[in-house]
Amino acid sequence: MSWLDEVRFNDDGLVAAIAQDADDGRVLMMAWMNREALARTAELGEAVYYSRSRGRLWHKGESSGHVQRVRELRIDCDGDVVLLKVEQAGGIACHTGRRSCFYRRLDGGGWASADPVVRDPESIYGGDG
């Protein structure tokens, strides 16, 4: 049995994948992986996700250069969530130009930005962010 057979993919063939900074533990983002994306991630040592909106594999950093180098892959006790401990190239994981996709916090009954933009997304993606 392959290590991939121990992963519990959902009915759509996907598993939730959380990217965490390997040095300070900050959660950077959550995305989805199918079996091929997870296998490619292990093979390349860089995060490859499955884009539901594009319907294809997405090598993190393919357009931005903000590649995630995977130091360690883990799986939770139920086998249905993958944790990637990564080195985030450029210090930006979010398409909004922030370090983390989790940059908003509940404040006074609404979501407020708690983290600054590190780099203008227009300069990263040219309007395709």
Side-chain angles (χ1 to χ4, degrees):
M1 177 162 74
S2 163
W3 62 272
L4 284 165
D5 295 329
E6 296 182 50
V7 178
R8 292 181 49 205
F9 295 94
N10 68 18
D11 291 342
D12 295 322
L14 303 174
V15 65
I18 298 168
Q20 178 183 42
D21 188 290
D23 291 326
D24 68 12
R26 177 135 185 219
V27 174
L28 301 175
M29 59 179 280
M30 180 275 174
W32 296 97
M33 291 181 156
N34 63 8
R35 187 180 179 97
E36 183 182 2
L38 186 52
R40 293 280 295 146
T41 295
E43 176 187 326
L44 292 174
E46 293 183 352
V48 177
Y49 299 107
Y50 180 79
S51 171
R52 294 177 302 164
S53 61
R54 297 178 217 156
R56 67 171 180 84
L57 294 185
W58 156 49
H59 188 162
K60 176 69 175 156
E62 66 189 26
S63 58
S64 66
H66 300 143
V67 173
Q68 292 176 340
R69 290 175 199 88
V70 178
R71 281 202 207 157
E72 188 175 355
L73 274 173
R74 291 185 179 221
I75 192 166
D76 79 328
C77 57
D78 294 323
D80 61 0
V81 178
V82 174
L83 176 68
L84 293 79
K85 294 194 174 195
V86 302
E87 293 173 32
Q88 179 64 62
I92 299 171
C94 185
H95 75 282
T96 66
R98 291 174 174 86
R99 178 170 179 228
S100 169
C101 293
F102 297 94
Y103 65 89
R104 295 182 288 179
R105 71 171 165 235
L106 189 59
D107 183 14
W111 296 106
S113 181
D115 298 334
V117 172
V118 176
R119 188 164 162 217
D120 179 16
E122 182 78 23
S123 71
I124 299 170
Y125 302 102
D128 294 333

